[in-house]
Amino acid sequence: MQTYAISSELARAKAASVYAFMISGKSTDTRMNVNLWDWIPGVGVISILRYYEKSDRKELYDYLSDWAVRNREKAFSQRTVNSTAPFTLLPTLHNMNPSDDYQEDVLATAEWLLHKAPRTREGALEHTVTENAVFPEQVWADTVYMAVLFLAQAAKMLHSKSYAEEALKQLDLHLRLLQDDETGVLFHGWNCGASDHMSAARWTRANAWVALGFPSIMQCIADLVDVSSDLRERYVRLMTGLLHFQNENGMWHTVMDRSDFYEETSGSAGIAAGIIQAIECGLLDEKYREAANRTTAALIGKIDEEGRVSGVSGGTPVKETIEDYNLIPFKDTLYGQGLALMLLAEYV
């Protein structure tokens, strides 16, 4: 198998172009509207934050700080799991430039998650969205990134053991309910009422949310609660299982065990970024890095001269059949741009 060395210079250039396209307004797709308070721009700004942390470009911090102020009035129009994602930005902004507004918003959102957010009969956060749709008793892998990651960041910022305990509980519940015993990878969702995985799709982007979210969550709460060896081992099983389904070119199919389905860029990038972050915090062995390098090499070929990332599937609830996942069209999206930027940031 060919080995890949990723040029830092090329990664920097591609990251800069991906970021520039994100904020340019050149795409008319509504999924590229950064001035909303929902999961799509949330993933975008979380990724820009990681890019800032790795590159130390002050203009990125300035952009994020301005974004948070400019869009704050939209933050509380709806309380859902998905609309929690942008709040993940605030603890880091507060750490860099303490603000009563940041503290107030982080505390209010963490309290909502802890005491008021809908839960399933198992105690898992029910996945809730801003659209006019409900998914009663459904647990989605997406929730780990959209809400549990924020709760872990809030726990670290506020030195709150109760928030850390809840983040740990949710991480454990989601892995236990979604992990496939046979392969180690995750199903997209779980229906607590029916006690099944619905269509039982091993959807790649669902796995990416946990692959990427777990290392950050663990690092945020490790000083406040004990992250058990069993939970860490579940994560290693997940990541080892994912490598079984990775194509030689570094990509994953949108449903990973369906080689007749299209390859999908955002999920592939998210998994690879998770691999690198997990290596850096000691969850994974260095031997996993080559898999991430292969994905990055493939990703670079998916970025055009304007910085647009191609091969990104549109928003995807748990579908009725596995075949439905292959019908999701490609879109310009802030989460596609963002997950690509998240991966490239690891090389700058």
Side-chain angles (χ1 to χ4, degrees):
M1 183 180 292
Q2 181 181 351
T3 59
Y4 294 86
I6 306 301
S7 160
S8 294
E9 182 179 359
L10 179 58
R12 281 195 295 271
K14 289 295 184 179
S17 70
V18 168
Y19 166 69
F21 187 75
M22 289 176 76
I23 66 169
S24 68
K26 289 181 178 179
S27 175
T28 58
D29 196 307
T30 56
R31 298 162 188 84
M32 289 294 293
N33 182 358
V34 73
N35 290 310
L36 298 173
W37 200 280
D38 203 358
W39 76 274
I40 294 178
V43 174
V45 294
I46 293 168
S47 300
I48 295 170
L49 177 61
R50 182 65 174 177
Y51 181 33
Y52 166 70
E53 291 171 341
K54 301 296 285 189
S55 67
D56 201 30
R57 289 176 51 188
K58 184 178 181 298
E59 66 269 28
L60 300 174
Y61 168 79
D62 292 341
Y63 177 84
L64 292 170
S65 180
D66 177 69
W67 184 91
V69 172
R70 186 171 71 247
N71 292 291
R72 185 178 185 240
E73 64 181 26
K74 306 166 189 174
F76 302 102
S77 59
Q78 288 181 281
R79 281 292 197 191
T80 69
V81 159
N82 273 355
S83 63
T84 300
F87 287 101
T88 307
L89 182 66
L90 302 190
T92 301
L93 292 182
H94 179 75
N95 183 55
M96 299 177 68
N97 184 22
S99 159
D100 289 344
D101 285 347
Y102 292 153
Q103 178 134 347
E104 176 185 323
D105 294 352
V106 168
L107 181 60
T109 304
E111 285 292 295
W112 177 80
L113 281 173
L114 194 63
H115 299 295
K116 296 182 180 179
R119 280 167 171 71
T120 68
R121 63 193 67 188
E122 285 101 340
L125 286 166
E126 183 178 291
H127 192 80
T128 52
V129 301
T130 55
E131 295 86 355
N132 185 25
V134 293
F135 306 98
E137 292 278 6
Q138 289 189 19
V139 177
W140 295 12
D142 313 47
T143 300
V144 170
Y145 201 77
M146 306 311 160
V148 182
L149 176 58
F150 161 77
L151 194 58
Q153 294 276 8
K156 180 180 179 180
M157 171 185 158
L158 299 169
H159 309 288
S160 170
K161 187 174 181 180
S162 63
Y163 297 160
E165 288 173 340
E166 183 65 20
L168 184 65
K169 173 186 173 181
Q170 292 300 324
L171 196 57
D172 182 69
L173 276 169
H174 279 74
L175 275 167
R176 290 183 182 279
L177 293 172
L178 297 172
Q179 194 158 32
D180 176 18
D181 291 336
E182 180 183 352
T183 65
V185 304
L186 306 180
F187 295 108
H188 187 178
W190 169 259
N191 187 309
C192 298
S195 294
D196 63 27
H197 291 106
M198 295 174 279
S199 59
R202 298 176 180 92
W203 184 47
T204 288
R205 195 159 65 227
N207 283 262
W209 297 132
V210 178
L212 184 56
F214 190 110
S216 294
I217 292 168
M218 189 197 75
Q219 289 181 88
C220 286
I221 65 177
D223 290 339
L224 295 164
V225 292
D226 177 46
V227 181
S228 70
S229 59
D230 177 68
L231 188 55
R232 293 169 189 257
E233 287 166 8
R234 280 187 173 273
Y235 180 76
V236 174
R237 283 188 58 226
L238 163 62
M239 303 308 284
T240 303
L242 288 173
L243 295 194
H244 175 75
F245 293 107
Q246 186 184 29
N247 291 339
E248 189 171 343
N249 68 357
M251 300 290 285
W252 280 264
H253 296 277
T254 191
V255 175
M256 64 184 65
D257 57 337
R258 289 294 299 265
S259 59
D260 54 326
F261 284 16
Y262 62 74
E263 293 179 336
E264 205 279 325
T265 304
S266 67
S268 297
I271 291 169
I275 288 172
I276 296 174
Q277 293 187 27
I279 292 170
E280 296 300 319
C281 71
L283 279 166
L284 293 180
D285 189 271
E286 184 66 30
K287 68 182 180 182
Y288 288 79
R289 191 179 297 273
E290 179 59 26
N293 287 347
R294 284 193 285 132
T295 306
T296 307
L299 170 67
I300 286 170
K302 301 282 187 181
I303 302 168
D304 70 15
E305 292 181 358
E306 285 191 308
R308 176 188 277 108
V309 178
S310 64
V312 176
S313 63
T316 310
V318 179
K319 306 301 289 183
E320 291 188 8
T321 70
I322 289 176
E323 285 69 24
D324 287 340
Y325 285 82
N326 201 39
L327 303 177
I328 302 294
F330 292 139
K331 298 287 185 180
D332 291 342
T333 72
L334 286 166
Y335 58 81
Q337 297 290 130
L339 290 171
L341 182 63
M342 183 76 75
L343 178 54
L344 292 167
E346 301 303 324
Y347 296 87
V348 301

